[in-house]
Amino acid sequence: MKPLLALLLALAGWLPAAAQRSEDFAQRFMSLYADSHALSCTTVSPAMMERVLNLDTLRHDDGARHVISQLRSIRVVTAANASHTDRLLSAADSLASVNRRRYTPRAEGADYAIYVRERRGVLVEVVVFLVDEERRFSMLDFTGNMSEDFLSRLARND
Amino acid sequence: MDYKYIEQLLSRYWAAETSEAEERILRQFFSQPDVPPQLAAYRDLFVYEAEQESVGLGRDFDERVARLAQEGKSRVVRARRPSLGRRLRPLLHAAAVVAICVVVGDAAQRAFRSNGSQPVWDYNLNSYTDSYDNPQEALETVGGSLRQLHTLLAPEGEVRPDSLARTKTPNAPLP
């Protein structure tokens, strides 16, 4: 009995630790709202990002390579129609608020909000909620090992 | 009477130097009823050996052994089969040790890994399923997404990055 209890306790300790390999915001959002709001998600995985970085197209573009090299993945979530835009924006804000210790607001405007997740001084996730020209909800989720310089370069168009 | 010879034999006896004949003499001497008081203390030692020589198996010894053997035959002793739990106990011991080592090792690895120079990206790789097989198509999504982010971050009037300019927008629904 005692060895079995020890084994179960060890597993109970290990499983949460293993679960620390977490999901990104877009994945979580999709798991909650994809079915009820007809959301679709386009994913560029870390493996594909590596292949993108090795494309001939980018070989001579140091600026683009510098930016993309800081990315590990991108998810683009798009709503099929504009009927649920406000509800989805609200849901995205709520989800970010609930996880406020994980995601901090970086910028916002009338039709967009940007949240970042920082870990040991590195931006590991940048999440953007926005409304496109057709009033459809859209979410961009960048993960990687991004520095503040990453955002600065994007803002400056370097 | 002078018992000097007996005392000499006793000295040699304590030194383990006596022969069998000399020890026989000592036994015979101490077997008699009149042992002098100064030597009476040693009488029990030599008499005990003589008494123990007479101890042996009695006539009923064989009968007693046969009776005990019969009693043993009538009582059937079955081998006790250990329960499944008991049999698995060593395996559970080993599994518990391995699990504890894995947990401690993982925790230690995370602790030692936690310094500024190590990557901190901590997402589950297995949760990413590519939407594209072609990296060129993926680049269009990457470029479009970065352009959108740039549009939101950049001040009004900034020129978009040409190197990432593509015709396809990232908001196109999946086929």
Side-chain angles (χ1 to χ4, degrees), chain A residues 63-64 66-68 70-71 114 126 128 142 146-158, chain B residues 142-155 158-161 164:
Chain A
H66 178 77
V67 168
I68 295 174
Q70 296 186 54
L71 296 175
I114 301 177
V126 175
V128 183
F142 305 86
M146 297 167 276
S147 60
E148 284 296 336
D149 179 60
F150 170 83
L151 294 179
S152 305
R153 279 188 175 225
L154 274 180
R156 284 197 319 264
N157 182 31
D158 283 351
Chain B
V142 172
S145 303
L146 288 171
R147 279 199 306 280
Q148 280 194 299
L149 182 57
H150 160 75
T151 304
L152 296 174
L153 290 173
E158 284 284 337
V159 177
R160 291 178 183 172
L164 297 174

Side-chain angles (χ1 to χ4, degrees), chain B residues 17-54:
Chain B
E17 292 172 355
T18 47
S19 65
E20 277 193 35
E22 290 169 334
E23 288 178 15
R24 206 177 306 124
I25 293 170
L26 284 172
R27 279 197 288 274
Q28 282 174 355
F29 173 79
F30 283 103
S31 301
Q32 58 192 5
D34 300 325
V35 175
Q38 70 270 24
L39 299 174
Y42 309 114
R43 182 176 185 277
D44 288 342
L45 175 63
F46 295 96
V47 165
Y48 168 79
E49 290 179 1
E51 283 177 355
Q52 290 302 309
E53 276 182 7
S54 65

Side-chain angles (χ1 to χ4, degrees), chain A residues 8-25:
Chain A
L8 288 172
L9 277 172
L11 278 173
W14 176 76
L15 280 171
Q20 289 297 314
R21 296 249 169 225
S22 51
E23 56 183 2
D24 58 34
F25 192 98

Side-chain angles (χ1 to χ4, degrees), chain A residues 71-137:
Chain A
L71 296 175
R72 294 296 300 273
S73 72
I74 294 178
R75 292 197 205 264
V76 180
V77 176
T78 312
N81 53 61
S83 58
H84 298 147
T85 297
D86 292 335
R87 199 181 309 169
L88 287 168
L89 267 176
S90 175
D93 277 328
S94 292
L95 188 59
S97 297
V98 163
N99 294 284
R100 68 178 72 85
R101 293 186 68 173
R102 190 175 169 90
Y103 297 97
T104 52
R106 175 58 66 102
E108 68 174 357
D111 289 328
Y112 75 94
I114 301 177
Y115 287 82
V116 298
R117 181 185 171 222
E118 195 172 324
R119 202 162 175 256
R120 293 203 284 270
V122 174
L123 295 176
V124 293
E125 191 170 357
V126 175
V127 187
V128 183
F129 322 139
L130 60 123
V131 178
D132 64 13
E133 300 85 10
E134 296 165 29
R135 292 296 305 168
R136 290 181 307 178
F137 172 83

